[in-house]
Amino acid sequence: MCGIVAYVGQQEALPIIIKGLKRLEYRGYDSAGIALLNSDGLSVYKKKGKVSELENHLNGFSNLESKIGIGHTRWATHGEPNDVNAHPHYSSSEKFAMIHNGIIENYDVLKKDLMNKGYQFQSETDSEVFIKFIEDIYVNNHISLEEAVRLALHKVVGAYAIVIMNIEEPDTLIAARKGSPLVIGVGEKEYFLASDATPIIEYTNQVVYLDDYEIAVIRDNKLQIKTIENVETNPYINQLEMELEAIEKGGYEHFMLKEINEQPRSIADCMRGRLDAKNGRLVLGGLRDYMNKFQNADRIIITACGTSWHAGLVAEYLFEEFARIPVEVEYASEFRYRNPVISEKDFVIAISQSGETADTLAAIELAKSKGATIFGVCNVVGSSIPRATHAGSYTHAGPEIGVASTKAFTAQISVLTMMALKLGYQRGTLSESRYMQLLGELETIPSKVERALKLNDKVKEIAAAYKDSRNFLYLGRGYNFPVALEGALKLKEISYIHAEGYPAAEMKHGPIALIDEEMPVVFIATKDSSYEKVVSNIQEVKARKGKIIAVVTEGDTTVKHMADHVIEIPETEEAFVPLVAVVPLQQLSYHIAVMRGCNVDQPRNLAKSVTVE
Ligand code: M6R
């Protein structure tokens, strides 16, 4: 949560930071602020609301010229979203200003100590405590700010990515990270710091990913990185491969719509170079060194949050069907605190779009400490999870900016499907002929998703009919149960309509009581091994006057006669249906949210990457 951007160099900092903050708004958008340094001193400007509100606020000021600056877009943790709680925060003397992404868990104790020493606080944030704590160390020990930061980092508990400006060092930025991401862009006599590479990409493709417990000091056009033990490290410069157009809307009204429509390409990109169906080749580079462990694992544990957890549920069906290894799918937030039984014979798969989700990271550390092998399935290259795992495969979906995850979900399932097929083949639980058949079908999925996208107009009509509903139910069985969960999550998070996903057969055990003529029920009723059963469930809803919206296989005639609306998707293997069936559900939630006037890309209370627990 929260996005941070900083700049020091020859250019004007303000436009670079404002543009960068807009790119990072998906990380939090309840307030924004900036600090600049010029002949007027170190000035902080901040405003409740989105970055555009901050821009309007800045219009009322002159002398905003500065070659150095820090900026922040916030997702509130401590203290409500308002101007005062917005970042940057000054130190007491107003000599320093700091932006912070993360949570300082022991801020309360630190704050009490500081208050006893006479410090006063304007905001309710842990971040203001953090910078005042640093200042206290600086003042009392007569040391450099850099040294004070280093000592403070030994005392704070929690997660942080911080950048600090100092009125006395107008060419210096001090940054540090633990648990929250920080990327440093290295330009020609200029440096850019940000929570991810999107604010940096148009200026330079050379970046350094700061590691946990590292402090970066940019002074006089030089970057120096030290550990918090004061040991200098050699910054490793990575080349970014991201294209600028990938982070722009490209003519679409919303990022979410663009990302839904990108799926044929993102799924193909995910399979490119890995799947060659004609020659029966399936290569996942990240698995190569760990195939033996994977094949001989006693158990596969999948851990993730939100949509990534839904992808994990699909993978449970895939691994058990094709590779016959028992699978458990765990919410990372529960797993990390449950004292789970884990051994070296477990193969743990952590799934995350952002690669920064705090609970998933903690679950990884726990499983690692018990000796399990950890494999990451992530989208954001260079993020924390790929660096915390033993091995992994990137999903290559490209940047996903809409807060509601769409193309990342189908790319995650694509990677997990390839892993399950590979594993099944290697273990001999999948015959050569079936393996070849499945590889061939998998290769057709991008074109089937392309066809599913053409259902848009029909889906939009359905959206118009149900946009004012107060509740929705989503039901599916087998592989389509996680799709039902995902459909419900998409709807609730962007349209604020209450929606629940259930295994269709569970309906009788409670949710059926909700059904009346006001209740739309979305069935995923494709022609598969549980089709007949789902048809019976549809009858049960119909008998209670529920409104039925059914996602069916092209050419289905049975459900057509029962449902109020049918959405026909191309036929595919049962195991691959989630990749296609989820598409009209994404479109349905998108159109309903737009019709209800909701902010589709930045729904209320949410942030794209949840870097706090
Ligand atoms: O970046 P991650 O995949 O680890 O994020 C997990 C969830 O926070 C995420 O999927 C969330 O549920 C999305 N808003 C769903 O659309």
Side-chain angles (χ1 to χ4, degrees), residues 322-568:
F322 297 132
R324 310 301 302 145
I325 297 182
V327 180
E328 281 169 30
V329 188
E330 303 270 2
Y331 283 115
S333 53
E334 290 299 313
F335 183 72
R336 62 181 291 194
Y337 287 119
R338 211 189 58 224
N339 192 13
V341 180
I342 311 167
S343 80
E344 317 80 70
K345 294 282 285 171
D346 290 325
F347 193 87
V348 175
I349 302 174
I351 310 171
S352 174
Q353 187 287 129
S354 61
E356 300 294 348
T357 302
D359 284 321
T360 310
L361 265 167
I364 290 170
E365 293 307 334
L366 173 73
K368 223 173 17 175
S369 71
K370 311 256 182 194
T373 302
I374 324 288
F375 192 87
V377 175
C378 293
N379 193 37
V380 178
V381 175
S383 55
S384 301
I385 292 177
R387 290 185 296 143
T389 45
H390 294 111
S393 286
Y394 282 116
T395 48
H396 298 309
E400 189 182 69
I401 314 251
V403 164
S405 189
T406 52
K407 65 175 179 171
F409 177 67
T410 47
Q412 288 164 344
I413 297 178
S414 302
V415 167
L416 294 159
T417 304
M418 289 188 280
M419 288 173 71
L421 296 180
K422 180 89 187 167
L423 187 63
Y425 182 59
Q426 297 279 120
R427 280 170 57 85
T429 45
L430 255 184
S431 68
E432 169 111 29
S433 59
R434 179 76 177 124
Y435 178 65
M436 292 298 285
Q437 187 190 6
L438 287 165
L439 293 192
E441 181 58 23
L442 190 57
E443 230 171 37
T444 70
I445 292 297
S447 65
K448 291 188 174 168
V449 169
E450 184 87 63
R451 271 164 59 200
L453 285 167
K454 301 221 161 77
L455 298 163
N456 186 54
D457 291 348
K458 169 104 206 229
V459 174
K460 201 168 170 182
E461 278 169 27
I462 301 172
Y466 294 98
K467 68 175 178 16
D468 297 319
S469 299
R470 293 168 56 106
N471 299 288
F472 263 76
L473 268 183
Y474 285 73
L475 302 176
R477 295 180 82 137
Y479 283 98
N480 286 332
F481 159 51
V483 178
L485 294 180
E486 177 60 10
L489 175 62
K490 285 296 83 95
L491 185 69
K492 69 184 131 191
E493 70 180 330
I494 61 166
S495 72
Y496 321 139
I497 295 175
H498 172 244
E500 296 291 339
Y502 272 97
E506 272 294 303
M507 184 184 60
K508 286 195 272 310
H509 301 282
I512 198 163
L514 296 168
I515 291 169
D516 59 16
E517 60 280 4
E518 303 278 289
M519 174 67 95
V521 184
V522 180
F523 274 96
I524 303 105
T526 47
K527 281 267 170 60
D528 57 29
S529 54
S530 39
Y531 176 70
E532 304 297 339
K533 310 262 180 220
V534 177
V535 168
S536 305
N537 299 139
I538 293 176
Q539 295 283 22
E540 288 155 9
V541 171
K542 197 175 162 59
R544 286 155 185 88
K545 299 196 167 48
K547 296 279 176 287
I548 295 157
I549 303 161
V551 177
V552 299
T553 309
E554 267 172 4
D556 182 300
T557 46
T558 314
V559 177
K560 204 177 243 173
H561 294 119
M562 298 181 216
D564 296 277
H565 312 270
V566 289
I567 301 166
E568 295 184 57

Side-chain angles (χ1 to χ4, degrees), residues 29 32 92 143 166 175 237 239 243 311 330 367 411-412 419 435 593 606 611:
Y29 32 84
S92 288
I143 51 180
N166 176 359
I237 304 213
Q239 297 290 326
E243 300 287 338
E330 303 270 2
Q412 288 164 344
M419 288 173 71
Y435 178 65
L606 280 167
T611 55

